[in-house]
């Protein structure tokens, strides 16, 4: 398909990193928003989106499956460091599942699904986070836990409505 209008109703496009590649590095200008809708993002090596710049990012009706499983990485779905509250991330009706890193010697990185720093706002509506972080099997190993098994936000206000979290864990700090 060349555009979303060509996609059959209810279908989603898939972007598969095959555990070999990150999906995208974005630089978004101020007063701009990059939006993704009805996409399955799976098996990114480290991250689905590594975002820079002052602009906003939005995801609607997307699935994020088994990303960053083979490498230590913060924010295996979205990783972004903003500047003094200049950008926002909006997530609506999305599923985050299986961003679960397994290592007996390294920590997970922070925020297995979403890592934001210095953002103006994080808004998550009607989404589900399941089995993200580090497997509990690593609990008594040398692997350190990190903060935010599903989401880590530093200096970032967050609003979450109708969103559920289940089975997200880190070996030490959950």
């Amino acid at each position: 398909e060349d555009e979303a209008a060509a996609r059959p109703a209810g279908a989603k496009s898939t972007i598969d990193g095959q555990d070999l590649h990150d999906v995208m590095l974005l630089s978004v200008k101020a007063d701009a928003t990059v939006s993704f809708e009805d996409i399955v993002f799976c098996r990114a090596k480290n991250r689905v989106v590594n975002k820079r710049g002052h602009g906003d990012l939005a995801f609607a009706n997307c699935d994020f499956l088994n990303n960053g499983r083979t490498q230590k990485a913060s924010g295996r779905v979205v990783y972004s460091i903003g500047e003094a509250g200049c950008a926002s991330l909006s997530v609506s009706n999305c599923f985050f599942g299986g961003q679960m890193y397994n290592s007996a010697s390294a920590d997970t990185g922070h925020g297995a699904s979403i890592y934001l720093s210095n953002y103006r706002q994080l808004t998550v509506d009607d989404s589900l986070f399941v089995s993200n972080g580090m497997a509990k099997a690593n609990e008594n190993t040398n692997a350190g836990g990190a903060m935010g098994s599903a989401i880590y936000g530093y200096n970032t206000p967050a609003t979450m409505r109708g969103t559920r979290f289940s089975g997200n864990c880190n070996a030490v700090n959950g």
Side-chain angles (χ1 to χ4, degrees):
E1 75 193 38
D2 293 325
E3 58 187 29
R7 187 179 310 136
K12 293 183 180 182
S13 295
T14 299
I15 299 175
D16 187 346
Q18 301 175 338
D19 291 327
L20 299 171
H21 310 283
D22 287 353
V23 175
M24 65 190 80
L25 172 62
L26 297 175
S27 182
V28 183
K29 294 193 283 185
D31 299 324
T33 300
V34 174
S35 299
F36 298 92
E37 186 174 327
D38 295 320
I39 301 175
V40 176
F41 297 93
C42 60
R43 300 188 308 162
K45 181 177 180 180
N46 291 309
R47 297 184 176 103
V48 172
V49 175
N50 189 338
K51 184 222 170 249
R52 301 287 184 247
H54 297 284
D56 298 335
L57 192 57
F59 293 94
N61 305 313
C62 293
D63 297 332
F64 304 94
L65 308 172
N66 304 314
N67 295 291
R69 297 174 305 160
T70 62
Q71 303 282 323
K72 171 189 171 182
S74 294
R76 293 178 206 130
V77 172
V78 176
Y79 177 85
S80 187
I81 298 174
E83 294 180 22
C86 61
S88 68
L89 171 62
S90 172
V91 175
S92 177
N93 195 35
C94 291
F95 176 77
F96 296 79
Q99 281 66 241
M100 184 70 71
Y101 176 56
N102 290 296
S103 171
S105 61
D107 69 25
T108 63
H110 302 300
S113 290
I114 298 173
Y115 178 100
L116 299 179
S117 179
N118 297 316
Y119 258 54
R120 179 178 67 248
Q121 180 69 42
L122 166 63
T123 303
V124 182
D125 290 317
D126 302 314
S127 295
L128 178 61
F129 292 79
V130 177
S131 299
N132 301 290
M134 176 179 273
K136 279 297 217 186
N138 295 333
E139 191 167 27
N140 295 314
T141 68
N142 291 328
M147 293 177 278
S149 57
I151 298 173
Y152 178 83
Y154 173 79
N155 198 27
T156 301
T159 301
M160 298 191 195
R161 296 175 288 246
T163 295
R164 295 180 298 144
F165 298 85
S166 178
N168 300 288
C169 62
N170 275 332
V172 178
N173 297 324

